[in-house]
Amino acid sequence: MYNGGKIIAGLIIFFGLVTFPFYSNFGKTANKVTPKLDTPVINQLEKKECVKPKEYMRTEHMKVLDEWRDEVVREGKRDKMIVGGIEIEKSLQNGCLKCHSNVKTFCDVCHTSSGVKPYCWDCHFIKEEGLL
Amino acid sequence: MSIDRRKFLKLAGLAGVGLGLSTSDLLFKGDAVASSSHSKAMAKERLAMVIDMRKFRTEEDYKRVIDACHSIHNVPTLIAEKNNPKNEVKWIWKDSYEHTFPDQSDDFHPEALKEKSFLLLCNHCDNPPCVRVCPTKATFKREDGLVIQDPHRCIGCRFCMAGCPYGSRSFNWVDPRLYLEKTDPAYPTRTMGVVEKCTFCVERLAKGLGPACAEQSNGGMVFGNLSDPNSEVRKLLASNYAIRRKPSLGTLPSVFYIIGGDENAG
């Protein structure tokens, strides 16, 4: 074999580069981000619960939002609901954000770390943090 | 069995005719559905507004109702002033007699009436052209007669603006947030690139309240169910002469104007 040493060294460097994204991310899984649940309203809740179980909300909250949006805007179903002992509207601003009034340290920390940028904030906003 | 070129062309031609027939059938049927989309028989509920122009006398009377709407819906009144009057965001606004009732402008209505400003808003037509032209079904008509635009589905194509004979819609050429002095966090803003309109305060109706403009109008705007003969709107219409905008177009507006006579003077 001609130039065997160079080829093997080349191969090692090549594999090193190709697998770089994997080992550089090792141990840094998405679970590292901790959305803060410490808001005035959540702290006062009788029962610390979300509109659906936490595990479901973590991965499927956008589905809940989608359903609410269609029910409210298109079907006119605006009936209120009781969650954690308080009455909330089926609404992003008057529902989710009533409890999660810390968009920047809740919604945004997850979204930034997973590279999603919901366009909802172009219109929806919250008093505590102003136009987002 | 093989098929020669000639036979193939004949068959293809026949199939083409068949296809043509079946699509024309579809088209005509579709048309029939579209043109009967407004209710021939009166629906159970048809929400409407009666505006009594006799009760609008001073600038303040108009301003109060306009502010009531704009403040709770984050409508940037300042765009017309600071940016360009053509970029006005239209939920509820004022216009002249000739623009409001162009078919009537040569009538012998009292002069005082012709000099008045009229309050304009979406007519929530019973036969709404904007609904028919919307390619994404962002605009739709509810069972209770409200014509609603779902901002999430709006692609900003502005067909509805071309379809609406009343100018009751506006397109956001600039970011409305830049022109909001105050915001109401109970309601979203809108963005550049979508169309906006009046909603008859659908979010307040759900809470058992009436439209915000009517609430601040000192009886100048009355809201109710046109299908209920005992409703206040029906009683007003039964005892007063009221007109609608551009009736000849067949859109069947749900906003009525009591124009009155000499009472308008002064």
Side-chain angles (χ1 to χ4, degrees), chain B residues 194-212:
Chain B
V194 296
V195 170
E196 305 201 12
K197 75 186 280 295
C198 150
T199 63
F200 263 173
C201 285
V202 61
E203 80 286 0
R204 286 170 57 93
L205 301 183
K207 294 180 176 150
L209 302 165

Side-chain angles (χ1 to χ4, degrees), chain A residues 69-70 72-78 80 89 91 93-94 119-128 131-132, chain B residues 74 136-138 140 142 148-153 177 183-191 202-203 206-207:
Chain A
R69 174 165 77 175
D70 281 353
V72 168
V73 180
R74 302 195 74 85
E75 298 161 31
K77 293 187 194 143
R78 291 182 187 247
K80 303 206 170 154
E89 286 176 42
S91 158
Q93 290 165 227
N94 307 315
Y119 70 101
C120 321
W121 311 124
D122 292 351
C123 295
H124 292 275
F125 68 100
I126 174 172
K127 187 172 79 223
E128 283 78 353
L131 299 175
L132 295 157
Chain B
N74 299 319
T136 61
K137 291 201 163 72
F140 58 97
R142 301 191 347 157
I148 296 294
Q149 181 210 347
D150 182 344
H152 309 102
R153 281 206 198 178
R177 283 187 169 183
T183 47
D184 186 337
Y187 202 82
T189 67
R190 271 76 57 204
T191 53
V202 61
E203 80 286 0
K207 294 180 176 150

Side-chain angles (χ1 to χ4, degrees), chain B residues 26-90:
Chain B
L26 265 178
L27 275 178
F28 289 128
K29 266 196 206 140
D31 235 6
V33 169
S35 58
S36 62
S37 69
H38 68 96
S39 36
K40 293 241 165 57
M42 185 73 109
K44 230 181 29 248
E45 198 174 12
R46 182 169 159 210
L47 297 173
M49 181 84 82
V50 178
I51 304 182
D52 189 343
M53 288 312 302
R54 294 170 299 191
K55 301 232 165 100
F56 288 89
R57 292 170 174 278
T58 63
E59 269 307 297
E60 182 52 35
D61 292 338
Y62 294 90
K63 192 171 178 302
R64 214 174 42 244
V65 296
I66 293 174
D67 286 349
C69 166
H70 287 190
S71 63
I72 63 164
H73 294 124
N74 299 319
V75 179
T77 311
L78 285 179
I79 282 192
E81 267 169 55
K82 292 212 169 147
N83 183 275
N84 184 343
K86 285 189 188 150
N87 293 344
E88 180 179 19
V89 181
K90 283 152 122 188

